[in-house]
Every structure is written in C-alpha cells, then in structure tokens.
Amino acid sequence: MPSKTPQFDKALDEYFNSLRLDKNGGLKKVCRFSSKEFYVRPEDIEFYKKIRVPPPTLEPEERRRLRCASSNSYTLFKNVSAYSKKSVISIYPPTSPFKVYEPRIWYSEKWNPFEYGRPYDPQKPFFDQWNDLQLAVPHPALISDPTNVNSDYTNVSKNLKNCYFTFDQNGGEDLYYHQCCSETKNCIECWAVDHSDTCYESKIGDHLFKCFWCEECKQTTESYFLWDCKNCDYCFMSSNLRNKKYYFRNQYIGKEEYEKRLKEINFGSWVTVEKLKKEFIELKNSAPRKPSNNLNTINSFGDFIRDSRNIYFGLWVYDSENLSYCEGIEDSSDSYDVLGGTGNELCYFLANVWAEDNYGCKFSIHIDYSEDVEYSEYCRNCSNCFGCIGLDNKSYCIFNVQYTPKEYWVKLDEIKTKMLEAGEYGEFFPPRVLPFPYLTTQVAYYYGFDDADAKKYGYDMSPVEEPSEKIEGDIMDSKDFPDDIKDVKDDIVKKIIYDSKNKKYFRFVKQEIQFYKKYGVPLPREHPAIRMKKWRKEFGLLVRYYKRKCAKCGKVVETTYAPDRPEKNIWCESCYLKEIG
C-alpha cells in the first residue's frame, strides 16, 4: 500500500538506517534531561519502527515524569468561566493563562472549537504554534464527564452519581474523598478499591462489603484492620488470611467470642482508633509479603501488575499484555509510555487517566475513543487529527482546521517531515508548554521525583497559592471535637472546621456525618485534602528492584521493597505461595 506520508517515511527510514545499533539490535543513549545513560532494547526499536516514530531522547523515568506532570487530577481552585463569567471549580488556577468553561458548557455544542483554528506555519517551531492554540481554545474547568450526576467537585471521573471530592474514578455512587476506584458505592476515603460497597479508609481491594481500614483484601465482608486477606468474613486486626471467619488478631475464636470482643471495642472513639491504627502499622510491617505487589503475571517487570503478561517497567497495570513503560492502565495491548486509560492499542506517549478505547494515537493528553490522533488534547471520537484541541467526532483536522482527506495527508506529510528534521517529532510536549504548574500535577502527589531536577528541566515550579478568602461563621477547631462520634451533634455540618495542625479550614457534608454516625467511626481531624495527600504519598511513581534475602528460606530475591523500608518480612514467591497462597 502506497505511503500517505512519503516524505516523512523516507526521512524516518533514513534516520533508522543511520543508527548504530549494537549486535543485539539495541541502542545506548544519553537522556537529554538527566544526562543518564539508558538502553533502548531491540524490541523497543522494533516497536518504534512499527508505529513510525524515532526512539526517545529521554530515559524511561523522565518520560514518566513528563506524562505525570501533564495532568492535574487533585488540585482544585476557584476560577471564573470565560463563557458565563461565573465562579467555577477548576483544575486551572486563577493565574493560569488558559481560558476555562464550566464542564456542562465545554462538553456541549454551545461553542465551536473551529473558531480558534489557524494554518500551520512551516517557519515557526511546532510547539510554539501549539502553545498559541492552547492559549486560544477554551479548556474544561474540570475533566468531568457528561454522564456524572450531582458530582460537581470531582475530576477525571465518569459515570458518577452523588459524589464529592472524588478523583480518577470510573463508575460510582455516594462516594466521598475517593480515588482510583471502579464501580464502588457508599464509601469514604478509599483508594484503588473496586466493585465494593460501604467501606471506609480501605486501599487496594476488590469486592469488599462493610470493610473498615482494610488493605490488599479481596472478597471480604464486615471486617476491620485487615492486611492481605482473601475470602474472609468477620475478622479483626489480622493478616495473610485465606477463606477464614471469626479471626481476631490472627487467631480463630469462633462466632460468639468474636462478637463479644468486637463489642468491647469502641470504633467510634478517636483515641481508640488512633491506637488501633498504630497496631495495624506494626501488623503490616511484620506480615509476610511477596517480593512485589504483582499478581497473576507472566513475563512481567514492575509493580502492582495484575492479570497481565509481557509487561516491562509497568506500574499499576491490569488485564493487559505487551506493554512497556506504562502506568495506571487497564485492558490494553501493544503500547508504550501510556499513562492511564482502558482499551489502548498501538498507542505511544499518552497522558489520559480514565480515557477509553484509543487506537494508534500518539503524543496526546486526555483523548477518548479516537484513532490515529497525534499531538492533541481533549479530543473525543476523532480520527486522523493532528495538533488539535477540543474536537468531538471530527476527522482530517490540523490545528483545529478542517481539511479534505487529500489535503490532510499532504499537509501532514509536510508537518511531520519538518518536525522530524527539527528534532520535534517523536518528542512529547516539552515542560514549557504543559498546561499546569508542576506542583499541582500527579507527579507532585506521589514520591519518587526530585523537584530540584524538575526546575532544571524547565517545568513551571510556581507555588500553589492558597485562596485568601475571609472566613466568617461559626468556627470550631478540630482539636475540640468530642472523642466519640456518639457525642457529635448534627449541627456540626453548619460549622466551619479549623484544622489547626495544617492551618486549613473545611466543612463536613451532611452525607459524610450520616456515614460516620451510622457505622460508628470517629470524625477525622485533618483537612480532607491533607488526608488524601498522605495516603497518596505512600505510593511512588518509580519502579526499582533491590536484592534481599527471603526471610523464610534465605534465598536471594529481587524485590520492590528497598532494604531501608519498614517492611522486613519479605518472602520469596515460592515460600509465600506455599505457606499463605
């Protein structure tokens, strides 16, 4: 089949022919940011040839930083809509140069993204022209899908109903201070918990019901403070259980004794729960662990990889195959350097979070249900578009200008050839044109990357400014809360709460207080953003392996747990499966 971009293909073939590959077909390179040497594997070279892009100039970790720094999922501001002039909640700070529209307007037909189109100028660098288009086209104040109902204070989420302060969520109802979950309901402060109901402060779980302070658990019901338990019911402060009931501190005590002991614990007391949390930390640190958090994987390198095969340098990868350098991705295949989304195939260097079903897309941010889209942002249901922002159900567009198919391929050939010659094609958007200040993005919320390095590489290191609003009303210091939730009055929802520890103000919402009282858990003392930030910081963005000895048999294993971490009881895979399963 004749090439649709013959000049570009010829130039790219000449580029590949000029590479001095080693005897295995790989290539050593030096990262243009960190100056570290990195290796482009032979299979990487073949992938880049297949999708028609030059090899990267950044090492894998700096590529991950760049993707994560292109998305603000969690930092919310008060801004003003350029459409209605009304106050809106926005992921763009009021100092941002970008115009924002409220989501219900942005996702409607009340504005036309073609009004901001402009022709490509071969005399100007592509990324300068891209930045000009970014400044002109309105952006959604929040990435809030039209399917969401009564869920205004949510971002990068879809299919929500009655949710508040919920992020990176795919499907849910009655969720508060929630993140990275799928199809959950009636939960508060949970992270990466799927298909679950009525849970509190639980993390990395699946099919949980009435679970409080449970982590790494599956198919578990009415339990408290569990670590790595599966198919368990009515258990307390235990770890590594399988198919158990009525376990109390890892001992079976039977139904009658269990219920008696549980009644003696006042989970509604702040003092009591704080003591139990300390005990839980000790339990987790002493519990046997596998070398990594991977599960049901074949030929995979990384962490938190589940039910997948042929994954390299992956992080939080589920139900996927043949991926390299990807994070937060599900049900995807044959892709490299993708952040987030489901149903990706033959994609490269995307930053999407909960986007879906993209094929052959490259170098783009938040695109959905699209095919062969490159260097674009906020496009949905599009195909064969290049350098576009905000398009829906469009094809053959460049810089928000509509072309005929014939015109499109001629113009695209010219642009990509010019970009390749200039060293632009094959590069993701540089830090200077990313839409958010670095300290508001995902990369700032998880541990792993050095902010000092980011400044050197050209990221916008502007501080996150707190709103200077005058606080008026009935103020209550959280340190003056009653110890027991039973003593909390309903009118607390009318009060402004002052978190004196972090010097922040917040309010409780009615549904939140109802949950605490119904299920007998104490009022949290810190601002919700601080609470969420703390549990995000428990997880990192880097994949590192270390050599340690199995605490059970003494065998040397490669593990994602660094030797200086508090988790000391690391077992090899065979010991773990034999003893725990």
Side-chain angles (χ1 to χ4, degrees):
M1 184 176 180
S3 171
K4 293 181 178 179
T5 52
Q7 294 181 75
F8 169 76
D9 286 330
K10 179 182 178 182
L12 186 62
D13 287 340
E14 289 174 352
Y15 170 84
F16 274 113
N17 290 335
S18 71
L19 295 178
R20 293 186 176 182
L21 306 179
D22 62 24
K23 62 181 182 180
N24 296 315
L27 179 68
K28 287 184 179 180
K29 300 197 72 173
V30 175
C31 176
R32 62 183 172 88
F33 276 5
S34 68
S35 298
K36 293 180 182 178
E37 186 178 272
F38 67 102
Y39 186 64
V40 184
R41 303 174 302 160
E43 53 265 56
D44 298 342
I45 295 290
E46 292 307 310
F47 177 81
Y48 301 137
K49 286 181 178 179
K50 180 178 180 179
I51 65 166
R52 309 301 292 157
V53 299
T57 60
L58 297 178
E59 60 165 305
E61 289 183 354
E62 289 305 331
R63 302 201 302 269
R64 178 163 286 163
R65 186 205 296 261
L66 193 53
R67 288 191 297 279
C68 292
S70 68
S71 178
N72 171 14
S73 287
Y74 319 126
T75 312
L76 303 183
F77 303 91
K78 284 189 176 180
N79 206 333
V80 176
S81 165
Y83 182 89
S84 66
K85 311 305 178 186
K86 295 179 180 179
S87 178
V88 294
I89 301 299
S90 173
I91 52 177
Y92 296 89
T95 55
S96 171
F98 301 114
K99 296 183 292 187
V100 299
Y101 285 177
E102 45 267 79
R104 65 179 180 82
I105 297 296
W106 195 90
Y107 286 98
S108 73
E109 297 181 355
K110 293 185 178 181
W111 69 288
N112 182 5
F114 283 146
E115 291 181 2
Y116 307 93
R118 68 275 318 275
Y120 168 75
D121 185 346
Q123 302 305 314
K124 294 182 179 179
F126 171 84
F127 291 119
D128 288 354
Q129 297 180 70
W130 166 261
N131 194 44
D132 291 341
L133 183 66
Q134 268 194 313
L135 294 172
V137 180
H139 288 53
L142 296 169
I143 306 173
S144 179
D145 194 87
T147 59
N148 295 343
V149 177
N150 190 31
S151 302
D152 293 339
Y153 288 79
T154 62
N155 189 44
V156 197
S157 298
K158 57 178 63 176
N159 304 311
L160 301 185
K161 182 179 180 181
N162 303 330
C163 295
Y164 178 78
F165 236 63
T166 297
F167 307 95
D168 301 345
Q169 177 82 23
N170 186 16
E173 184 173 350
D174 298 316
L175 307 176
Y176 302 85
Y177 317 115
H178 222 256
Q179 185 187 330
C180 292
C181 303
S182 178
E183 303 301 336
T184 50
K185 64 179 182 179
N186 194 35
C187 295
I188 293 182
E189 295 202 32
C190 293
W191 195 88
V193 171
D194 297 336
H195 308 288
S196 298
D197 189 345
T198 314
C199 297
Y200 180 68
E201 281 199 32
S202 293
K203 304 171 192 170
I204 316 177
D206 192 9
H207 289 88
L208 308 181
F209 178 66
K210 288 188 178 179
C211 287
F212 300 78
W213 302 284
C214 292
E215 300 181 25
E216 282 283 9
C217 295
K218 284 189 174 185
Q219 289 89 33
T220 294
T221 300
E222 297 201 37
S223 296
Y224 300 80
F225 294 103
L226 298 190
W227 164 260
D228 184 24
C229 294
K230 295 177 176 60
N231 299 307
C232 294
D233 303 323
Y234 312 107
C235 294
F236 169 79
M237 197 63 73
S238 298
S239 62
N240 308 118
L241 299 181
R242 301 293 184 267
N243 308 308
K244 303 298 183 183
K245 283 187 178 183
Y246 305 117
Y247 268 63
F248 194 94
R249 292 192 168 99
N250 274 83
Q251 296 292 323
Y252 173 75
I253 58 174
K255 181 176 185 294
E256 185 177 341
E257 182 65 19
Y258 178 85
E259 292 176 348
K260 176 186 173 184
R261 292 194 193 181
L262 210 64
K263 285 181 180 179
E264 295 171 353
I265 301 173
N266 183 6
F267 291 105
S269 163
W270 169 260
V271 172
T272 297
V273 168
E274 288 302 294
K275 290 179 181 178
L276 291 173
K277 285 182 178 180
K278 290 180 181 178
E279 181 182 351
F280 188 47
I281 291 172
E282 293 177 1
L283 174 78
K284 291 189 294 181
N285 288 342
S286 62
R289 294 174 180 242
K290 295 191 301 178
S292 72
N293 296 285
N294 299 339
L295 181 66
N296 298 331
T297 64
I298 298 173
N299 188 34
S300 295
F301 170 86
D303 206 12
F304 294 101
I305 303 172
R306 309 286 168 95
D307 303 305
S308 299
R309 60 190 299 161
N310 303 328
I311 309 298
Y312 182 71
F313 216 79
L315 189 63
W316 297 100
V317 175
Y318 287 17
D319 303 301
S320 298
E321 63 179 351
N322 306 327
L323 304 179
S324 294
Y325 317 108
C326 295
E327 57 278 335
I329 188 171
E330 290 188 15
D331 192 27
S332 297
S333 63
D334 303 297
S335 297
Y336 273 48
D337 288 277
V338 175
L339 163 63
T342 64
N344 299 286
E345 185 177 354
L346 283 176
C347 291
Y348 178 56
F349 227 132
L350 304 181
N352 277 336
V353 191
W354 270 120
E356 294 186 56
D357 296 340
N358 291 308
Y359 180 88
C361 296
K362 310 180 188 83
F363 314 112
S364 296
I365 301 173
H366 292 302
I367 56 172
D368 242 342
Y369 303 104
S370 294
E371 183 173 344
D372 296 325
V373 170
E374 298 185 64
Y375 289 104
S376 295
E377 183 181 34
Y378 296 129
C379 292
R380 295 102 62 213
N381 309 298
C382 291
S383 64
N384 296 306
C385 290
F386 193 96
C388 293
I389 302 175
L391 301 188
D392 184 15
N393 199 27
K394 303 299 179 185
S395 301
Y396 305 113
C397 300
I398 299 174
F399 280 147
N400 285 33
V401 174
Q402 181 70 66
Y403 292 90
T404 66
K406 183 177 180 180
E407 292 170 334
Y408 174 82
W409 291 114
V410 170
K411 180 62 68 174
L412 186 67
D413 196 16
E414 175 193 354
I415 295 173
K416 291 175 71 168
T417 303
K418 181 72 175 178
M419 289 179 68
L420 185 65
E421 291 173 353
E424 293 178 318
Y425 190 78
E427 302 295 339
F428 193 66
F429 301 110
R432 65 181 176 84
V433 303
L434 293 182
F436 304 104
Y438 183 89
L439 296 178
T440 69
T441 65
Q442 287 189 359
V443 74
Y445 279 89
Y446 300 93
Y447 72 81
F449 289 108
D450 190 324
D451 291 351
D453 288 338
K455 186 175 182 179
K456 289 190 299 184
Y457 304 153
Y459 291 92
D460 176 3
M461 301 303 292
S462 302
V464 181
E465 297 183 5
E466 297 286 338
S468 56
E469 296 179 293
K470 185 178 181 180
I471 306 298
E472 294 181 329
D474 187 1
I475 298 174
M476 182 178 189
D477 196 313
S478 61
K479 71 178 189 306
D480 297 327
F481 286 169
D483 175 63
D484 198 320
I485 186 64
K486 294 177 182 176
D487 299 323
V488 175
K489 297 179 180 179
D490 291 339
D491 68 353
I492 196 167
V493 297
K494 299 178 182 178
K495 298 181 183 293
I496 299 169
I497 309 303
Y498 180 57
D499 169 9
S500 53
K501 180 180 179 181
N502 300 291
K503 297 181 173 53
K504 287 179 174 289
Y505 294 89
F506 67 99
R507 289 182 183 270
F508 290 112
V509 296
K510 179 181 177 182
Q511 297 88 337
E512 182 184 2
I513 297 299
Q514 289 173 341
F515 183 98
Y516 297 147
K517 290 199 165 195
K518 181 176 181 178
Y519 298 106
V521 294
L523 292 181
R525 267 54 174 175
E526 292 186 287
H527 189 282
I530 297 296
R531 303 193 310 260
M532 298 180 81
K533 187 174 183 178
K534 281 184 176 181
W535 39 259
R536 289 183 191 120
K537 279 296 184 182
E538 294 179 16
F539 302 96
L541 292 172
L542 303 182
V543 177
R544 299 279 173 80
Y545 272 75
Y546 309 87
K547 290 190 182 298
R548 291 176 65 166
K549 288 185 178 181
C550 171
K552 182 73 171 174
C553 71
K555 174 186 174 181
V556 175
V557 296
E558 286 194 330
T559 174
T560 55
Y561 294 98
D564 60 350
R565 284 183 61 107
E567 303 92 346
K568 300 303 181 185
N569 202 6
I570 309 302
W571 290 13
C572 67
E573 189 90 11
S574 58
C575 284
Y576 180 91
L577 293 176
K578 180 180 178 181
E579 297 290 331
I580 296 171

